[in-house]
Structure formats: structure tokens, C-alpha cells
Amino acid sequence: MSIELPAWLGDDPQAPFPPVSRALREPDGLLAAGGDLSPARLLDAYARGIFPWYSEGQPILWWSPDPRMVFRSDGVHLSTRFRRSLRGSGWVACADTAFEAVIDACAGSPRAGQHGTWITPAMRAAYVALHRLGHAHSVEVLDQGRLVGGIYGVAIGRVFFGESMFSIASGGSKVALAALAHRLRQWGWPLVDAQVENDHLRRLGAESWPRRDFIAAIADLCGQPVAPGPWTERFGRLPASELATPPTGG
């Protein structure tokens, strides 16, 4: 019985990825190993529907699962009870004011069934570099200036590729996700990539898309010219109370 192995990438950040159709079925979506985490490599990967995910001590592993978990920016679901609680909330969402604090909080958040973190020092450094180049962004949720939740990811064209989110106070990650979707909807960005299926994301409104549909959608959206740069001013300060009303169609 032969065992399928993923493609091995060389050190050249311009070396192409194999077609995502060659990703393994088991483990689902494993496409390639090796390569590096340079900005050029990462941006090329995301635009092709590929992302890195590996643990300390492993080679860099690149994934493109099928199906793909995706949020529509008008489809994030918050329960009626939770939205009602936001009406009197003093929390405020903003963007790119504490990127490194958000990624560190995500790395330190315990996950069900997961030991340690996949946000290795090399991964942290890679996304901080992307942030400094204006391609990676964070949304922070603040309670009187104290960070209580957040999300970070990579923006290419009019797609946001979500990487991780966290809560310090209950509901912090939900508000971060809803605030991100709220702004993206206003900007005409229709999709947030959520990568891998899980029940929590599904309860928040994420949908399972066949990989071919996801790849076709991002091929168009990633090709639309949007200049990189910080989101702080563009995003502004979004009171959580404004999220108490569900979006039309959401």
C-alpha cells in the first residue's frame, strides 16, 4: 500500500505551489511542505486558497481543505440574546491598534482538543512582518481601553483571510468577528475565509463551500486592486452597541 506524500517546496519564494486539486484527502487539504514564510510566499499562498498551519518542530505545512469554511460579511450570526446584551455595552471595536497583542492573545488562548499553539515564533514574526507591510490586520475589542477580544488575518483584494480570534471577556471574539464583518460589508468586501470547519464557527453563521467554489470566488476578489496599509483610520471606532441590530439579510 503506497502512502501519498505532499509536494516539497524549495527555498525560492517564487517557486509555484502545486494545484490545490492535488491536496490530500487524508489529512484533508494537506498540499505541500517546506518553503518559507516570506511575505511574497504568504501572499501568493492566500491568493490561491492556501494557508500555513503546523506545530513547532514540524516543517512548514501548507493546506487547502475541501470543503472550506467561509463567512459572508452579511451572514455573521449573533443570537438574539447576545445582540440584546450589546445594546447597553460600552465596548468599542477598532483596528490595527494592537496587532502584536492580538496575535499573542490568540497564541495563548486554550483550544479544545489542542495542546500548545500553532502560532510558533516563526509564524508570529511572519504575520507581524505582513502587518508592517499593510497586508495583515487586527480588530481589537476594548472595554474602557482594556483588550477583551480580537481577531487577526490577511487582506488581499476584497477578501479577508481570518487566522485566529480570542476572548478574554465572554463574547469578545464574537464582537470582534461581527465588527469586522460590519465594516467589510460597508466596504463591499463579501467574504471572510474561516479555513477549517468547526461547530463553533457554524453556529456563528459560517458556511461550508466546496473548495472549487471558494477558489473561483477569491480568484476574482483577490485580483481587485486595494492598496495595502493600516486600517486604523478607515475602520474608526465602532461601538459594540451598533452591532445589536442584525444586518439586512444576515
Side-chain angles (χ1 to χ4, degrees):
M1 176 180 173
S2 62
I3 299 176
E4 287 188 277
L5 297 174
W8 186 264
L9 300 176
D11 294 332
D12 179 5
Q14 303 300 322
F17 284 96
V20 296
S21 59
R22 290 176 51 188
L24 303 184
R25 297 302 307 171
E26 183 59 41
D28 179 31
L30 181 58
L31 176 67
D36 62 14
L37 295 172
S38 65
R41 174 86 76 180
L42 286 169
L43 293 173
D44 181 53
Y46 281 101
R48 297 175 184 275
I50 302 164
F51 58 87
W53 186 27
Y54 67 103
S55 299
E56 190 72 56
Q58 293 180 326
I60 301 170
L61 302 177
W62 301 90
W63 303 79
S64 186
D66 188 10
R68 190 72 164 233
M69 209 65 165
V70 182
F71 284 99
R72 300 180 190 272
S73 60
D74 64 355
V76 171
H77 173 74
L78 301 178
S79 70
T80 301
R81 181 178 181 181
F82 186 70
R83 287 189 186 276
R84 189 180 303 121
S85 74
L86 295 179
R87 292 174 186 165
S89 173
W91 290 3
V92 174
C94 50
D96 289 344
T97 64
F99 183 88
E100 293 189 42
V102 169
I103 197 170
D104 289 343
C106 289
S109 295
R111 314 284 175 179
Q114 178 178 310
H115 302 286
T117 179
W118 56 269
I119 304 175
T120 65
M123 287 280 272
R124 182 189 188 280
Y127 288 94
V128 169
L130 276 182
H131 172 65
R132 290 173 179 167
L133 292 171
H135 298 290
H137 303 280
S138 60
V139 172
E140 299 84 36
V141 180
L142 305 176
D143 180 7
Q144 297 182 350
R146 182 175 71 96
L147 187 64
V148 295
I151 187 171
Y152 80 95
V154 176
I156 302 177
R158 291 197 296 124
V159 184
F160 188 86
F161 297 88
E163 275 297 310
S164 189
M165 57 186 180
F166 77 96
S167 291
I168 293 175
S170 178
S173 62
K174 293 180 184 178
V175 171
L177 175 63
L180 170 67
H182 181 92
R183 282 292 188 249
L184 295 182
R185 187 171 65 253
Q186 290 179 329
W187 299 345
W189 295 37
L191 299 180
V192 176
D193 174 32
Q195 298 182 345
V196 180
E197 287 189 282
N198 70 54
D199 291 340
H200 175 63
L201 296 179
R202 190 178 294 280
R203 287 193 293 271
L204 289 172
E207 306 171 359
S208 292
W209 285 23
R211 182 173 57 212
R212 66 179 181 275
D213 294 350
F214 175 74
I215 297 298
I218 67 168
D220 174 56
L221 292 168
C222 286
Q224 299 183 20
V226 177
W231 280 3
T232 308
E233 291 188 14
R234 185 182 187 193
F235 194 98
R237 292 174 62 84
L238 176 61
S241 58
E242 292 189 17
L243 304 172
T245 302
T248 302

